[in-house]
Amino acid sequence: MEDNVLKDVLQWQYPLWQTPLEYWENKISAASIQNPIALEIGAREGGLSLWLALKGFQVVCSDIRNPVLTASPLHRKYKVHSLIRYEAIDATNISYKGYFDIIVLKSVIGGIGAYNRKDLQIQSFRQIHQALKPGGYFLFAENAQASVIHRIFRKLKSWSYYWNYPEYGFLKRELADIFSIVDMKAFGYFSAFITSSIFQKTAVCVDKKIDHFLSSKNKHIVYGIAQK
C-alpha cells in the first residue's frame, strides 16, 4: 500500500500502526466472504472504513455520533462512498445481531473504558461478538498499558487522566472468554515516543530488531483477530 493511502487509512503514526494492518491484510480477504459487510467502530475520519471499502466490503462507518461529516470527504476522495453508510453506534449497545462479517476498531477500547470502566470494555466485547455472524472476525488494534516508562510518558498527554489503556493480559483473558478463537500480538517500544513519520519509520525498524527480547506486556500496541 502506498504511503499516501496508508496515511489516510491509519490517520496518525502510520508507520507504527502499519504492523497490525499488515497482519489483518494477511488474514482477511473479502474474496473469501460472500457479500461481505463490515463495521468500523469509533471511526472518526473513517480510515479503516476506507481500507475495507477498497477491499470490496460494504461498510457501516460509525462513531458515538454519526461521522458522516468527518468521514465522507475521505471516502469521496477515493470514490468508495457508494459502499459506505454512516451511523451513530455506541459500542456498548450495538443493535445489530449476527449481521457483520468483520468488525474493526483502532485505538478505541481505552476510550470506551474511560475513568477505569473495565466493565464497559468487556460489555463492548460481548456486543461486538453478538453483532458478528457465526465465524465472523473482530479486528482490533489498541494502545496498551505497556511499560512503566510508557505510562510515565503518557502523563504528559491531556487525555491521560481518563483514558483506560488496556493491559495485555486483561485483553487476552476477556476476549478468550467470549470468542472461540483469539490470536493476539503486541508490538512497539521506542516508536511510541516518536511523532514524526520519518523518524518513526526508523524507530519501527529498531523495534522489529528488539521485538523478541521484550515481554508482550511492555509493548506499546496490542492487536489481533478474535473469531466468533
Side-chain angles (χ1 to χ4, degrees), residues 69-136:
L69 294 179
T70 55
S72 60
L74 177 64
H75 303 149
R76 290 185 176 277
K77 172 183 173 181
Y78 285 88
K79 298 180 172 58
V80 295
H81 52 283
S82 62
L83 294 174
I84 300 171
R85 68 179 190 266
Y86 305 90
E87 294 186 21
I89 293 179
D90 179 350
T92 66
N93 186 24
I94 303 173
S95 61
Y96 291 94
K97 316 294 181 190
Y99 186 78
F100 297 103
D101 297 288
I102 285 178
I103 297 178
V104 63
L105 56 77
K106 168 180 171 279
S107 192
V108 174
I109 296 169
I112 292 171
Y115 302 105
N116 203 32
R117 292 295 304 272
K118 288 185 178 181
D119 59 311
L120 293 181
Q121 292 174 334
I122 296 170
Q123 184 176 331
S124 71
F125 301 153
R126 296 191 181 282
Q127 288 289 299
I128 288 166
H129 181 272
Q130 184 174 261
L132 286 168
K133 295 176 183 177

Side-chain angles (χ1 to χ4, degrees), residues 11-24:
Q11 305 292 314
W12 72 92
Q13 289 189 309
Y14 75 91
L16 172 62
W17 294 97
Q18 185 176 356
T19 297
L21 186 71
E22 289 177 345
Y23 169 79
W24 296 338

Side-chain angles (χ1 to χ4, degrees), residues 2 13 21 34 38 54 61 75 93 148-149 159 170 186 204:
E2 296 180 357
Q13 289 189 309
L21 186 71
Q34 188 175 9
L54 289 172
C61 177
H75 303 149
N93 186 24
V148 172
I149 294 174
W159 58 85
F170 164 78
V204 166

Side-chain angles (χ1 to χ4, degrees), residues 41-205:
I41 292 172
R44 297 208 227 180
E45 289 83 15
L48 293 178
S49 293
L50 168 64
W51 172 64
L52 289 161
L54 289 172
K55 292 174 71 66
F57 281 85
Q58 295 282 336
V59 185
V60 175
C61 177
S62 79
D63 211 322
I64 194 71
R65 296 180 182 84
N66 191 310
V68 62
L69 294 179
T70 55
S72 60
L74 177 64
H75 303 149
R76 290 185 176 277
K77 172 183 173 181
Y78 285 88
K79 298 180 172 58
V80 295
H81 52 283
S82 62
L83 294 174
I84 300 171
R85 68 179 190 266
Y86 305 90
E87 294 186 21
I89 293 179
D90 179 350
T92 66
N93 186 24
I94 303 173
S95 61
Y96 291 94
K97 316 294 181 190
Y99 186 78
F100 297 103
D101 297 288
I102 285 178
I103 297 178
V104 63
L105 56 77
K106 168 180 171 279
S107 192
V108 174
I109 296 169
I112 292 171
Y115 302 105
N116 203 32
R117 292 295 304 272
K118 288 185 178 181
D119 59 311
L120 293 181
Q121 292 174 334
I122 296 170
Q123 184 176 331
S124 71
F125 301 153
R126 296 191 181 282
Q127 288 289 299
I128 288 166
H129 181 272
Q130 184 174 261
L132 286 168
K133 295 176 183 177
Y137 298 97
F138 171 37
L139 281 53
F140 57 94
E142 193 71 18
N143 293 286
Q145 190 179 88
S147 71
V148 172
I149 294 174
H150 287 96
R151 280 173 259 166
I152 292 171
F153 176 76
R154 286 170 180 157
K155 288 182 179 180
L156 301 173
K157 307 294 184 181
S158 60
W159 58 85
S160 64
Y161 74 95
Y162 68 87
W163 198 266
N164 187 7
Y165 295 95
E167 188 265 329
Y168 181 90
F170 164 78
L171 275 181
K172 190 170 185 177
R173 180 178 64 253
E174 297 302 333
L175 290 173
D177 280 347
I178 298 168
F179 291 85
S180 61
I181 300 172
V182 178
D183 187 13
M184 201 169 93
K185 301 181 181 299
F187 177 74
Y189 194 89
F190 293 111
S191 51
F193 307 107
I194 309 297
T195 56
S196 165
S197 295
I198 295 173
F199 294 114
Q200 192 177 71
K201 287 181 180 180
T202 301
V204 166
C205 290

